[in-house]
């Protein structure tokens, strides 16, 4: 039956993100859930892809999230994927536990856009990195306002 279950493409990343956000080691999650740390590691690395619902419940409990935060419904095949820029503009998200202001959102978008615009060739790496760091500086300063 486990072979028939399908998880979202980003399940592994979500699982690891929430674990690290809580500063939990794999052993910490094992202690809380009773799920083998090796198995959790395989889930986080995409080696094992479809845990059972009881395992998902235990992981969500341990990570202090709703089970729906770990899983989501895959987009229909005919629905276009969004660019990272669109996601940052059209989706609500938290930065350091708070809703970002419009300025902070714009500055984060500028960091991403600057990185994507980099040529990142041997002769441009220094200039590209300075440009990115300048945008990061503006972004981080806007967080403090």
């Amino acid at each position: 039956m486990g072979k028939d279950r399908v998880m979202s493409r980003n399940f592994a990343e979500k699982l690891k993100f929430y674990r690290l956000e809580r500063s939990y080691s794999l052993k910490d999650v094992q202690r809380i859930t009773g799920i083998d740390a090796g198995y959790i590691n395989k889930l986080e690395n995409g080696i094992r892809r479809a845990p059972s619902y009881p395992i998902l419940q235990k992981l969500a409990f341990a990570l202090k999230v709703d089970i729906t935060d770990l899983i989501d419904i895959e987009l229909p095949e005919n629905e276009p994927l969004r660019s990272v820029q669109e996601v940052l503009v059209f989706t609500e998200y938290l930065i350091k536990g708070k809703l970002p202001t419009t300025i902070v959102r714009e500055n984060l978008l500028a960091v991403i856009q600057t990185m994507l615009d980099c040529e990142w060739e041997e002769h441009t790496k220094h200039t590209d990195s300075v440009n990115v760091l300048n945008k990061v500086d503006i972004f981080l300063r806007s967080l403090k306002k």
Side-chain angles (χ1 to χ4, degrees):
M1 171 144 187
K3 295 176 185 170
D4 298 329
R5 290 189 299 265
V6 178
M7 297 300 293
S8 65
R9 287 184 299 273
N10 60 352
F11 169 74
E13 291 89 356
K14 286 180 179 182
L15 182 60
K16 188 170 189 173
F17 170 81
Y18 287 122
R19 180 177 62 79
L20 295 176
E21 187 177 67
R22 309 283 182 279
S23 300
Y24 288 168
S25 68
L26 291 167
K27 289 287 187 186
D28 292 332
V29 178
Q30 176 179 318
R31 183 180 40 75
I32 296 167
T33 64
I35 300 168
D36 181 70
Y39 179 74
I40 298 166
N41 185 51
K42 288 177 182 177
L43 288 172
E44 289 184 352
N45 289 303
I47 297 167
R48 296 293 305 264
R49 290 194 29 97
S52 66
Y53 188 76
I55 288 176
L56 287 170
Q57 285 179 309
K58 289 177 182 180
L59 291 169
F61 173 79
L63 299 172
K64 301 175 183 143
V65 297
D66 191 276
I67 196 167
T68 59
D69 292 330
L70 290 176
I71 60 174
D72 56 28
I73 299 170
E74 288 286 337
L75 290 173
E77 286 188 33
N78 59 350
E79 187 161 333
L81 295 175
R82 290 183 169 182
S83 69
V84 68
Q85 296 93 323
E86 289 174 312
V87 170
L88 289 174
V89 170
F90 299 119
T91 306
E92 290 295 327
Y93 50 87
L94 301 175
I95 298 177
K96 294 188 172 185
K98 298 179 183 175
L99 279 172
T101 65
T102 301
I103 298 296
V104 169
R105 289 170 68 101
E106 289 171 356
N107 289 335
L108 178 58
L109 185 58
V111 170
I112 300 293
Q113 193 59 55
T114 302
M115 288 189 308
L116 294 173
D117 290 343
C118 288
E119 291 180 38
W120 209 255
E121 301 293 334
E122 280 304 316
H123 65 284
T124 65
K125 280 184 182 179
H126 178 75
T127 304
D128 288 339
S129 61
V130 168
N131 290 336
V132 169
L133 286 173
N134 285 334
K135 295 296 182 180
V136 168
D137 182 60
I138 292 167
F139 167 70
L140 291 174
R141 281 189 281 120
S142 69
L143 281 177
K144 295 179 181 181
K145 293 181 179 178

